[in-house]
């Protein structure tokens, strides 16, 4: 049974997280992903901690996590010989995903504009901080960016944390991961359009755009209600957040009066359903300091598991605030197979987060370990491009490529 993207060849001009996560999603879907890496060094994430080490082999967790099911081609794009290899490969590929510094590929003449004539069906997904598509360029389009910059400028950091504390970031790499997902979605759209038109196109994906779209609630309430949301307390929904139990915290969200009545009855305060201080979301938000002790008074007499069971049984959706150890021990996580076991032949088996979509009519995801630097260089040049052994050896001897 085929995977959805079997037969699609993707070139990854990628480093760090956004590009590699995008192509990992495409590889999980069955695409042949050829990751271009600099000889001798490779993707910078290969050298970033934390590491696992076994029998003298040292590998970076971040690289292992975002590069499964790919091939590694170690290629020097600063040489003309290396650029010709790339041109030959682009002519035989369906998609290029690029998240290098803005302008890097234009500088060496290997951008989409230069290569689309040789392959009109080529789809080029360009990931940047602020967007690069002509006609949609903004004041920041030439700036480089990291995830935390996109979080800050999109307003997300302004909303994370508490009112008496500085703005806070969310989780490491969220902007990269979400942008990678959005880019994979854009690539899928372009592939579907190509089925209709026969033509490829440029997919313009920006971290800032992705984070602003993720922060749509802020945009909506400011646009419609002229509110300026800030961190620490919601003006429109309460309870919402973490609430303390005897052994940790659970998460509560009460969006309407029906669920509020269920919660009030469960925690032993049915009178709160009709109290003017708590009979609407806005009233509850205004009196949160008075209401929280009543809820937590009941919760602190129970463990997280006891509270979660009782509240869910009453129709109040909730769950525990889990640690990493909790997630790995969670029976639902195990039964659903959300942590993929991947066996690296050099350092052993580890578990990584599964692509979060299941298809009823496709086989389970492949689970090939992230490749060693240049592991597939010879195979790609020989099998995909048809180079003979003499030509491959010459490219290797002058440093244009690196094999493993």
């Amino acid at each position: 049974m085929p995977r959805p993207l079997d037969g699609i060849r993707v070139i990854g001009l990628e480093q760090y997280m956004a590009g590699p996560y995008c192509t990992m999603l495409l590889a999980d879907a069955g695409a042949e992903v050829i990751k271009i890496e600099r000889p001798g060094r490779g993707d910078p994430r290969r050298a970033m901690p934390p590491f696992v080490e076994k029998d003298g082999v040292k590998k970076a967790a971040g690289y292992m996590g975002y590069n499964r099911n790919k091939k590694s081609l170690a290629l020097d794009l600063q040489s003309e010989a290396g650029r010709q290899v790339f041109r030959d490969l682009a002519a035989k590929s369906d998609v290029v995903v690029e998240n290098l510094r803005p302008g890097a590929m234009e500088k060496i003449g290997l951008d989409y504009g230069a290569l689309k004539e040789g392959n009109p069906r080529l789809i080029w997904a360009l990931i940047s901080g602020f967007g690069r598509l002509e006609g949609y360029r903004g004041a920041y389009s030439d700036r480089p960016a990291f995830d935390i910059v996109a979080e800050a400028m999109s307003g997300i950091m302004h909303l994370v944390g508490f009112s008496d504390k500085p703005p806070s970031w969310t989780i490491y790499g969220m902007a990269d991961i979400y942008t990678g997902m959005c880019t994979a979605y854009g690539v899928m759209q372009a592939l579907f359009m190509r089925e209709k038109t026969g033509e490829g196109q440029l997919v313009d994906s920006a971290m800032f755009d992705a984070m602003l779209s993720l922060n749509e609630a802020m945009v909506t309430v400011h646009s419609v209600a002229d509110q300026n949301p800030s961190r620490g307390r919601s003006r429109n929904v309460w309870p919402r957040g973490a609430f303390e139990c005897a052994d940790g915290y659970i998460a509560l969200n009460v969006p309407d009066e029906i669920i509020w009545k269920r919660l009030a009855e469960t925690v032993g305060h049915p009178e709160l359903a009709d109290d003017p201080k708590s009979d609407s979301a806005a009233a509850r938000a205004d009196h949160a300091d008075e209401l929280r002790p009543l809820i937590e008074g009941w919760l602190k007499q129970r463990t997280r598991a006891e509270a979660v069971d009782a509240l869910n049984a009453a129709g109040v959706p909730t769950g525990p605030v889990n640690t990493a150890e909790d997630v790995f021990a969670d029976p639902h996580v195990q039964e659903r197979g959300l942590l993929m076991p991947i066996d690296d032949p050099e350092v052993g088996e580890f578990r990584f987060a599964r692509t979060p979509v299941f298809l009823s009519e496709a086989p389970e995801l492949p689970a090939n370990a992230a490749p060693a630097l240049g592991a597939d260089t010879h195979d790609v040049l020989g099998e995909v491009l048809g180079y003979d052994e003499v030509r491959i050896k010459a490219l290797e001897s002058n440093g244009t490529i690196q094999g493993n």
Side-chain angles (χ1 to χ4, degrees):
M1 187 184 299
R3 295 290 305 163
L5 294 184
D6 280 355
I8 298 296
R9 179 174 295 130
V10 178
I11 304 173
L13 285 169
E14 56 185 36
Q15 58 185 358
Y16 294 108
M17 294 173 69
Y21 192 82
C22 172
T23 59
M24 183 197 77
L25 296 178
L26 301 176
D28 282 358
E32 176 191 17
V33 175
I34 300 171
K35 181 181 181 74
I36 305 294
E37 300 190 74
R38 184 182 303 175
R41 176 186 173 188
D43 188 326
R45 295 257 329 157
R46 288 184 181 272
M48 295 177 63
F51 299 101
V52 59
E53 191 165 1
K54 181 179 179 181
D55 299 330
V57 177
K58 186 177 180 181
K59 294 194 175 183
Y63 182 83
M64 294 170 70
Y66 302 134
N67 290 283
R68 62 176 180 251
N69 297 322
K70 301 181 187 179
K71 298 177 179 179
S72 173
L73 168 59
L75 179 66
D76 179 15
L77 294 177
Q78 300 306 312
S79 69
E80 177 51 37
R83 291 193 286 271
Q84 186 56 52
V85 172
F86 184 82
R87 293 186 193 101
D88 293 344
L89 186 58
K92 295 190 173 185
S93 297
D94 298 282
V95 180
V96 174
V97 175
E98 177 202 340
N99 77 316
L100 306 180
R101 185 184 177 95
M105 295 304 288
E106 288 93 333
K107 187 180 297 184
I108 58 175
L110 294 179
D111 58 304
Y112 176 64
L115 295 175
K116 65 180 180 179
E117 290 186 9
N119 182 0
R121 292 174 57 82
L122 183 64
I123 294 163
W124 193 294
L126 185 58
I127 302 174
S128 64
F130 299 98
R132 304 279 294 166
L133 183 62
E134 291 300 329
Y136 294 90
R137 291 173 59 85
Y140 313 134
S141 288
D142 291 324
R143 290 186 184 179
F146 281 117
D147 63 313
I148 198 169
V149 175
E151 281 196 17
M153 295 180 68
S154 65
I156 287 179
M157 281 185 67
H158 179 68
L159 301 178
V160 178
F162 298 94
S163 58
D164 60 342
K165 299 290 192 300
S168 179
W169 44 276
T170 57
I171 60 172
Y172 182 81
M174 185 180 77
D176 292 293
I177 297 302
Y178 186 62
T179 305
M181 286 185 171
C182 292
T183 308
Y185 170 60
V187 168
M188 296 292 193
Q189 291 184 77
L191 285 168
F192 190 71
M193 284 186 69
R194 195 179 70 175
E195 291 299 304
K196 300 177 179 181
T197 67
E199 299 290 325
Q201 63 182 294
L202 184 68
V203 176
D204 182 33
S205 182
M207 284 199 293
F208 177 74
D209 301 1
M211 288 297 94
L212 188 58
S213 73
L214 193 61
N215 201 14
E216 56 82 26
M218 180 201 75
V219 173
T220 299
V221 299
H222 185 71
S223 176
V224 175
D226 198 28
Q227 294 181 8
N228 189 25
S230 59
R231 61 191 173 279
R233 176 174 293 181
S234 170
R235 295 173 58 181
N236 303 302
V237 178
W238 200 91
R240 178 178 170 83
F243 290 78
E244 189 173 5
C245 295
D247 62 345
Y249 291 84
I250 64 168
L252 280 177
N253 178 43
V254 178
D256 58 39
E257 278 50 77
I258 295 174
I259 296 179
W260 171 246
K261 182 179 181 180
R262 295 171 184 167
L263 175 64
E265 291 174 347
T266 304
V267 302
H269 290 281
E271 74 281 359
L272 295 177
D274 300 316
D275 191 318
K277 292 183 177 181
S278 56
D279 63 359
S280 70
R284 291 192 294 274
D286 288 340
H287 298 91
D289 291 341
E290 299 173 48
L291 296 170
R292 177 179 282 273
L294 300 179
I295 297 172
E296 289 191 334
W298 182 86
L299 290 172
K300 288 179 181 178
Q301 299 176 41
R302 292 158 177 80
T303 64
R304 292 183 301 166
E306 291 170 342
V308 165
D309 287 346
L311 289 168
N312 279 313
V316 181
T318 186
V321 177
N322 282 337
T323 65
E325 289 182 350
D326 293 332
V327 169
F328 271 68
D330 191 304
H332 180 82
V333 171
Q334 296 172 7
E335 290 160 7
R336 194 157 166 82
L338 298 181
L339 300 179
M340 290 178 60
I342 294 183
D343 189 10
D344 187 293
E346 296 181 301
V347 294
E349 183 177 288
F350 298 91
R351 285 184 284 173
F352 300 92
R354 184 195 189 280
T355 297
V357 175
F358 291 81
L359 298 178
S360 67
E361 303 304 319
E364 188 46 86
L365 306 186
N368 301 306
L373 178 60
D376 306 283
T377 298
H378 284 225
D379 288 343
V380 170
L381 268 58
E383 297 174 12
V384 177
L385 300 185
Y387 290 7
D388 60 30
E389 194 63 27
V390 173
R391 186 174 181 182
I392 294 173
K393 288 294 185 184
L395 290 169
E396 192 165 32
S397 65
N398 66 22
T400 299
I401 62 170
Q402 176 186 337
N404 182 37

